[in-house]
Amino acid sequence: MEASRNRKAIGEFLKRRRSSLSPQQAGLPAGHTRRRTPGLRREEVAQLADVSMTWYTWLEQGREVSASAEVLDRLSAALKLTATERQYIYLLAGRYTPPARDLSEYRLSPAFMNLVRCTPYPFFVIGPQNRLIAWNAEACGIFADFSLIPPEDRQMLSLVFLHPAFRTKIVNWESSTKVALSFYRKVYDPAADQPWYTELTESLMERSAEFAAWWPLHEVADKNGMQVEIEHEVMGRLHFEIITFNQINDLENLMCCIYMPVPGTLTEERLATWRQKHS
């Protein structure tokens, strides 16, 4: 029953998208512009996607036909689907999620960025490929000014293993980093066939003795309850629990990490005093 509903939804979606796309938008020559109804014809979509007219008609009609990932890719290109639309038909067709969007597509809304800035605790937003894409003043105050790090080097796992601020300020660096690495494996191992993943692990194997020792252990774990102790040059000893959440405004492959003060450790008060001096 669910499969039948999904096939019907795919057909209705493709038909609607086809009717809203002009021949010019699809890149068809001028001779294709005269028609009784707006949008593309079925045979035009079939031709653009290199599928048979009969098969595409059956797909729009919600019949029991199988669509491979390769065919879905061609249909997505022919109909100029957005990343969100493309993922929608992938999920309905029961196929694997398409590759992660390009980082340039992750334009966080002004309201969300205001949330990041106004949160009174260190706040990191990690995007596709484990890259740091947003942070607040408290995060910079605790660790370093991330705006001074070139965008191509804002790879969170690399920062944790290699950046001096993480290595020297986190008192329990070894234990917390082992947990972070195990969590990384759980989240990102499905992308092990992608070039960025291979490049990252090979680079860290060469540049970090700890990574080279821990990576072959292939440990997988959750981050729940993970705490870090930080020795700050001004605020002194700070105790945080890292709270992680994702699925932000329907943007996949995003993760938020908030360093919440552990109650009873004076971390909240020390942060407030620091904030007053730097506001």
Side-chain angles (χ1 to χ4, degrees):
M1 191 68 175
E2 181 182 354
S4 177
R5 285 197 302 267
N6 287 351
R7 289 195 299 270
K8 183 179 179 182
I10 291 174
E12 291 175 348
F13 172 76
L14 292 176
K15 183 177 180 180
R16 177 66 63 180
R17 192 68 185 89
R18 172 172 64 83
S19 66
S20 67
L21 191 67
S22 71
Q24 294 92 334
Q25 289 173 316
L28 294 174
H32 287 257
T33 58
R34 295 179 182 177
R35 57 198 65 227
R36 295 175 183 174
T37 57
L40 298 179
R41 302 185 182 100
R42 282 176 176 167
E43 59 265 28
E44 291 169 338
V45 175
Q47 181 182 0
L48 288 168
D50 193 24
V51 297
S52 76
M53 169 65 176
T54 301
W55 181 90
Y56 181 73
T57 300
W58 287 354
L59 187 64
E60 275 201 5
Q61 291 174 345
R63 296 199 194 185
E64 194 170 349
V65 295
S66 177
S68 67
E70 181 183 358
V71 170
L72 291 177
D73 282 341
R74 297 204 302 267
L75 281 173
S76 298
L79 292 171
K80 309 296 183 185
L81 299 187
T82 66
T84 300
E85 291 169 335
R86 185 168 175 243
Q87 185 172 55
Y88 172 73
I89 65 170
Y90 259 77
L91 293 173
L92 287 177
R95 297 298 176 185
Y96 293 111
T97 302
R101 306 174 188 178
D102 187 85
L103 287 175
S104 62
E105 291 192 41
Y106 284 88
R107 296 181 178 87
L108 301 176
S109 71
F112 181 80
M113 288 304 301
N114 195 44
L115 169 66
V116 175
R117 285 190 295 269
C118 293
T119 299
Y121 314 117
F123 196 142
F124 297 99
V125 182
I126 303 169
Q129 302 180 9
N130 195 240
R131 293 188 180 277
L132 181 63
I133 61 174
W135 56 87
N136 62 3
E138 285 72 16
C140 292
I142 294 294
F143 292 105
D145 188 347
F146 296 101
S147 66
L148 300 179
I149 299 175
E152 63 272 16
D153 293 334
R154 294 178 194 154
Q155 217 291 338
M156 201 64 194
L157 193 64
S158 289
L159 292 175
V160 170
F161 271 94
L162 303 175
H163 196 285
F166 288 85
R167 293 296 305 257
T168 60
K169 292 185 177 183
I170 298 179
V171 178
N172 60 331
W173 181 85
E174 180 172 334
S175 60
S176 63
T177 300
K178 283 182 176 179
V179 174
L181 181 61
S182 299
F183 179 72
Y184 171 89
R185 292 211 78 142
K186 185 188 80 167
V187 173
Y188 292 99
D189 266 9
D193 61 339
Q194 297 182 20
W196 72 267
Y197 182 100
T198 304
E199 291 169 5
L200 172 64
T201 54
E202 289 179 352
S203 172
L204 286 174
M205 287 289 285
E206 294 176 359
R207 302 171 66 189
S208 169
E210 292 87 353
F211 183 90
W214 301 338
W215 185 250
L217 300 178
H218 212 115
E219 294 178 343
V220 176
D222 289 323
K223 224 179 195 179
N224 190 35
M226 175 179 169
Q227 294 191 4
V228 294
E229 295 181 29
I230 295 174
E231 188 65 37
H232 193 267
E233 60 272 16
V234 175
M235 290 179 272
R237 186 65 61 94
L238 305 172
H239 299 255
F240 295 100
E241 180 173 329
I242 301 178
I243 308 297
T244 303
F245 60 94
N246 52 20
Q247 190 67 22
I248 305 153
N249 294 342
D250 287 333
L251 291 176
E252 285 77 16
N253 302 306
L254 288 186
M255 184 183 305
C256 289
C257 297
I258 301 179
Y259 283 52
M260 290 295 297
V262 176
T265 63
L266 298 179
T267 301
E268 178 94 45
E269 294 82 355
R270 289 168 180 168
L271 266 177
T273 300
W274 178 88
R275 200 178 303 111
Q276 288 177 352
K277 293 179 179 179
H278 294 81
S279 59

